Amino acid sequence: MLVAWLVSRLSPMIGLPHIHQLRRFHASLAADRHRVVVCVGDSLTQGNASFDYPHVLAGRLEPEGYTVLNAGINGDLAWNVLQRIDEVTRAEPAYVILLVGTNDARACESSWAASQYVRQKKLPQTPDEAFFMDSYRSLLDVLGTADCTRTIVVTIPPLGERGGEPIAEIVSRMNRFINQEAAQRDLQCIDLHHAIERMLDTRDRQSSPAYDAKGSQKLIIVSILQRYLLGWSWERIARRNGFHVFTDMVHLNALGAMQLVDLVEQTVREKAAADC
């Protein structure tokens, strides 16, 4: 009985049903080709270790004929997304929302985290900033060859809420790179990082836990258990762990993720209106 209960509670963390849906999808057969949105990335997109922003985005857009698909996989680095980006382009989306780089930043900050990613995500090398940049450029190259697909890139949010820590400079460099690539390719860039920082600037940031790779990993596990075994909301988890917009230094609660939903919805609508 206990095992069955545990399986039922933790089942949202098992499997990739959203990826199977993406693989079966073909815009010309299933939806309005000009209103297909695919959200691509890591756990911030998959939404079972974090607030599920694609689900809320779908609730806003799908009543107007849009189709929103989730192509997030927990733990992915930019290189992992590159390996599966053809699954996205085969869906013939009108819009791709690309949010990736958080795990790259974590790997660059900590050799322990880097070794975990190499083993768990089967990377061909130890990840560093150059590895991220090469993979990200290649991602944009592939997406740039997809007919009638508009790529919208998103800067990665802070890691932890304190600011001024070594991880913050790594995130800043990666976001400068994302902004530069977007500008050079004439792509829309949603500055999620700035939006989250603006929210945090109103808080006592030094009271939240300092970012640490191992510490954040422990908090991720604790947050998942609180969510799926105890049934806590992401907001309650955030408060319990000492955060305002994060649950565990990495993942967003509803307050933080709704910033992303609002920005993506606004950008998609503006793009659609301009294309009419």
Side-chain angles (χ1 to χ4, degrees):
M1 290 289 291
L2 177 60
V3 172
W5 180 81
L6 286 172
V7 170
S8 68
R9 298 294 293 182
L10 295 175
S11 59
M13 297 298 299
I14 301 170
L16 299 170
H18 59 296
I19 297 297
H20 297 316
Q21 179 186 12
L22 174 69
R23 290 168 180 166
R24 295 192 300 267
F25 183 85
H26 194 285
S28 61
L29 300 177
D32 180 346
R33 167 67 180 82
H34 302 290
R35 294 196 171 197
V36 176
V37 180
V38 181
C39 302
V40 183
D42 48 37
S43 56
L44 294 173
T45 298
Q46 181 170 340
N48 59 357
S50 185
F51 184 85
D52 189 349
Y53 98 83
H55 177 73
V56 177
L57 182 68
R60 292 186 180 183
L61 293 178
E62 289 188 347
E64 299 176 31
Y66 286 86
T67 299
V68 178
L69 298 171
N70 187 328
I73 294 182
N74 294 343
D76 268 9
L77 286 75
W79 182 86
N80 299 109
V81 176
L82 177 62
Q83 307 315 302
R84 58 186 179 85
I85 197 62
D86 287 348
E87 294 180 344
V88 173
T89 58
R90 279 197 296 270
E92 299 182 349
Y95 306 97
V96 168
I97 314 301
L98 179 63
L99 170 54
V100 69
T102 288
N103 294 308
D104 294 85
R106 297 183 74 206
C108 290
E109 188 270 343
S110 163
S111 59
W112 173 83
S115 65
Q116 297 295 307
Y117 284 120
V118 169
R119 179 175 59 84
Q120 295 172 4
K121 303 302 290 187
K122 298 180 172 56
L123 304 180
Q125 67 166 79
T126 300
D128 54 23
E129 290 183 46
F131 182 60
F132 164 73
M133 293 176 183
D134 288 345
S135 299
Y136 201 94
R137 284 195 192 98
S138 297
L139 267 172
L140 296 183
D141 288 343
V142 173
L143 290 169
T145 64
D147 292 339
C148 301
T149 295
R150 297 151 191 82
T151 301
I152 300 167
V153 300
V154 184
T155 60
I156 60 177
L159 281 161
E161 296 188 357
R162 279 201 179 190
E165 299 179 305
I167 190 67
E169 181 53 37
I170 295 172
V171 170
S172 293
R173 286 197 298 269
M174 289 185 169
N175 281 332
R176 284 196 295 270
F177 167 77
I178 290 171
N179 273 291
Q180 290 166 2
E181 285 296 309
Q184 291 171 6
R185 298 167 187 259
D186 196 26
L187 302 176
Q188 184 80 32
C189 181
I190 293 174
D191 199 347
L192 176 62
H193 186 274
H194 176 71
I196 297 297
E197 284 284 345
R198 189 170 54 192
M199 295 177 69
L200 292 174
D201 282 342
T202 65
R203 313 291 298 183
D204 175 15
R205 301 178 65 159
Q206 297 309 308
S207 64
S208 67
Y211 178 82
D212 170 73
K214 291 184 179 180
S216 65
Q217 195 63 33
K218 290 177 182 177
L219 268 181
I220 290 171
I221 295 170
V222 169
S223 297
I224 289 171
L225 294 176
Q226 290 169 334
R227 173 69 172 176
Y228 295 105
L229 292 186
L230 301 181
W232 289 9
S233 69
W234 292 123
E235 287 60 55
R236 182 178 180 183
I237 293 168
R239 290 193 301 270
R240 178 62 179 267
N241 292 337
F243 298 106
H244 179 55
V245 300
F246 291 94
T247 59
D248 51 28
M249 303 187 194
V250 177
H251 299 104
L252 296 169
N253 65 8
L255 187 62
M258 289 306 292
Q259 292 286 311
L260 178 56
V261 173
D262 291 343
L263 290 167
V264 172
E265 180 189 12
Q266 177 184 350
T267 303
V268 168
R269 291 187 184 279
E270 289 174 351
K271 287 281 188 185
D275 291 340
C276 290

